[in-house]
Amino acid sequence: MLEAFNFRVLLDYMPLFLKGLWATAWLSVLSLVGALLVGILACGARLSRLRLLSMAVGAYIETIRATPLLAQLYFFYFGLPSLGIRLPEHQTGILALSLNSGAYMAEIIRAGVLSVSWGQIEAGMAYGLTYLQRMRYIVLPQALGITIPPLLGQAIVLVKDSALLSLISVFELTRAGQIITSERFMPAEGFFTTALLYLLIYYALKTFSTWWQKRLIFVQPA
Amino acid sequence: MWLYYLKQLMESFPFFLKGLWMTVAVSGLSLLMGTVIGGAAGVVRASRVPVLGKFLFAYVDFMRGTPFLVQVFIIFFILPEWGLHLDAFTAAVVSLTLYAGAYICEIVAGGITAVPSGQSEAAKASGLNWFQRMRYVILPQAMKTILPPLVGQYVLLIKDSSVVSVIGVTDVTRVGWFTVQRIPEGLMVFGLVGLLYFAVCYPLIHLANHLEKKLRSDFGGL
């Protein structure tokens, strides 16, 4: 198996793979920022006292969670033009990824916010803190700490999901593997290298998450 | 105009149902085999078998650290190079099984380790052998932590099965992809695709939530 592995070709295509890695990185970072924004807004709306708003956002979250990302991606890719909206492929991809991941992030953030015990909020009220002050000084500092590990987990999922963008002809890491497969007919070289580079991102994020969790136990003993 | 397309879409509805059947068949088969493989792997992993444990660790990490799309490509394009030809359906089932198996392995191993070690020690002291301990003491208790995330994993499996449409399995997503070439109303076509996935996944998501609530209230102290 290894003797069939052509390292020379791999070396020739290295710039392409690195470009793919870079593209995957910035597509993921942009989608992650979008997803965080969507998640925070959706979480706020979900917890709001306006029943209609809360229900609408609930329906959005459930819909995203019960349908595959690929179907959502195609929905925007084939659907937006019929609404007269023409976006470049990578923007469509970032939009779909942000809306998809945002729904999961909303649930994670909500769990974090709800984990702060009601007594603390009441205590804040008794001190005469306003809603914003309670959020800023009591709820968020505690909620953020415990939401970071699941958020990082969701970030890992997002990086892997970004591979699907190659199917709407966005250039990224998986696309680089497809290119070497079709140009040189070397799928092993192409896709194993792709997989290896994804593993690199995965381990970096996972190590950070483990480190954070350890720190967390140190800061707030359970 | 869109009314005309809607009528056309309704006419091709039987194809969508066929696609849905394919989705259910692919994910159902992988679900069964993935549970068997993942369950066995999980028991091995929780039992800390020396060499096999390391191997399983690498397998699980590879499956969790790389996108499912890349895994599908590896199995569909690289195995033939090594002389193992799989048709699209088999390749889809194999890749989904291996993918789901890794996650199920983690869920099962986590459930088993969550059972307090005193239980296993007491069973050992009562003279039960390894198999009896697993069968009568550990697994029945571990089931309560395993079941909710397991059902959640099934939902992910069904959604991820949409990815195998790219190697030519005619599941719902692929039917949608074909249809959108003929009926250029992406929102409508993939709205329908999403609806069909929703119909399958939504009840399962609720089952998972229900199980989580029920099992937690039964075993509050565990």
Side-chain angles (χ1 to χ4, degrees):
Chain A
M1 160 197 160
L2 253 187
E3 62 268 25
F5 214 82
N6 194 330
F7 285 100
R8 252 189 69 92
V9 171
L10 215 57
L11 215 61
D12 286 347
Y13 275 87
M14 226 14 168
L16 189 80
F17 278 115
L18 291 181
K19 249 174 81 184
L21 183 66
W22 174 241
T24 288
W26 71 259
L27 284 168
S28 305
V29 167
L30 282 183
S31 310
L32 193 64
V33 172
L36 273 174
L37 283 178
V38 171
I40 291 168
L41 287 178
C43 171
R46 188 90 179 89
L47 292 174
S48 105
R49 273 190 223 104
L50 299 169
R51 240 183 112 68
L52 211 63
L53 183 68
S54 167
M55 270 164 63
V57 172
Y60 152 70
I61 293 174
E62 301 271 274
T63 310
I64 293 283
R65 287 184 2 142
T67 54
L69 172 63
L70 187 58
Q72 293 159 17
L73 198 60
Y74 282 156
F75 180 79
F76 290 113
Y77 182 64
F78 292 111
L80 288 182
S82 54
L83 287 180
I85 305 168
R86 285 184 193 284
L87 294 177
E89 286 89 355
H90 66 270
Q91 286 182 18
T92 311
I94 291 171
L95 177 73
L97 270 181
S98 304
L99 287 177
N100 175 275
S101 228
Y104 293 93
M105 300 250 177
E107 291 290 279
I108 293 171
I109 298 169
R110 190 166 75 118
V113 169
L114 292 182
S115 75
V116 177
S117 73
W118 183 240
Q120 302 209 7
I121 298 167
E122 276 178 334
M125 279 177 185
Y127 273 106
L129 299 184
T130 64
Y131 174 80
L132 275 182
Q133 284 172 325
R134 288 199 306 270
M135 274 290 165
R136 165 75 185 76
Y137 295 106
I138 298 175
V139 179
L140 286 184
Q142 300 185 64
L144 269 183
I146 58 160
T147 42
I148 295 279
L151 282 180
L152 280 172
Q154 185 57 37
I156 292 175
V157 172
L158 192 145
V159 171
K160 293 194 292 165
D161 279 346
S162 75
L164 292 183
L165 299 198
S166 67
L167 300 176
I168 58 167
S169 58
V170 173
F171 176 77
E172 41 72 77
L173 201 44
T174 309
R175 191 87 187 150
Q178 287 170 343
I179 287 173
I180 189 171
T181 303
S182 55
E183 282 185 5
R184 295 291 183 96
F185 207 71
M186 291 178 173
E189 282 80 351
F191 291 126
F192 276 128
T193 314
T194 302
L196 202 72
L197 291 173
Y198 274 114
L199 279 176
L200 211 71
I201 306 179
Y202 169 71
Y203 279 120
L205 286 173
K206 199 178 143 183
T207 311
F208 182 60
S209 176
T210 321
W211 173 78
W212 185 278
Q213 258 164 317
K214 271 197 195 129
R215 210 191 71 122
L216 204 65
I217 294 165
F218 185 68
V219 172
Q220 354 169 272
Chain B
M1 198 60 192
W2 67 270
L3 255 176
Y4 168 72
Y5 285 135
L6 189 67
K7 216 177 126 251
Q8 272 206 318
L9 188 63
M10 280 302 119
E11 274 163 18
S12 42
F13 191 67
F15 295 110
F16 280 88
L17 284 185
K18 257 192 193 157
L20 186 65
W21 168 240
M22 184 54 107
T23 294
V24 170
V26 169
S27 29
L29 267 176
S30 328
L31 188 151
L32 282 177
M33 299 202 301
T35 309
V36 172
I37 292 181
V43 171
V44 172
R45 193 156 173 194
S47 323
R48 304 224 168 96
V49 183
V51 181
L52 207 55
K54 279 266 190 308
F55 172 75
L56 278 179
F57 191 77
Y59 157 67
V60 168
D61 253 19
F62 183 82
M63 288 311 191
R64 302 212 313 176
T66 56
F68 178 57
L69 178 65
V70 174
Q71 295 165 18
V72 172
F73 282 152
I74 286 179
I75 287 186
F76 191 62
F77 289 118
I78 300 181
L79 286 189
E81 285 219 324
W82 299 343
L84 189 62
H85 289 270
L86 299 177
D87 62 286
F89 182 82
T90 319
V93 172
V94 168
S95 47
L96 265 176
T97 300
L98 290 177
Y99 179 67
Y103 283 88
I104 292 173
C105 168
E106 282 296 280
I107 293 172
V108 171
I112 291 174
T113 1
V115 177
S117 58
Q119 295 280 331
S120 170
E121 282 156 16
K124 223 184 253 178
S126 315
L128 298 185
N129 62 31
W130 183 84
F131 183 78
Q132 287 170 325
R133 287 205 301 276
M134 273 293 161
R135 167 75 185 77
Y136 297 106
V137 181
I138 311 279
L139 284 182
Q141 297 186 66
M143 231 36 203
K144 295 185 170 72
T145 20
I146 291 174
L147 221 46
L150 190 64
V151 177
Q153 192 56 45
Y154 291 160
V155 177
L156 287 182
L157 173 73
I158 295 168
K159 291 195 290 173
D160 283 328
S161 78
S162 65
V163 172
V164 301
S165 63
V166 304
I167 56 168
V169 177
T170 26
D171 68 341
V172 190
T173 308
R174 189 150 179 89
V175 170
W177 191 84
F178 277 134
T179 311
V180 86
Q181 322 284 336
R182 205 160 42 81
I183 306 171
E185 281 284 343
L187 294 181
M188 221 154 72
V189 174
F190 282 99
L192 179 61
V193 170
L195 204 69
L196 290 173
Y197 277 109
F198 191 87
V200 179
C201 294
Y202 193 66
L204 277 177
I205 293 179
H206 270 257
L207 177 65
N209 289 346
H210 172 75
L211 281 174
E212 196 166 344
K213 261 188 215 135
K214 187 165 166 279
L215 296 180
R216 190 193 289 152
S217 61
D218 279 3
F219 273 77
L222 198 81

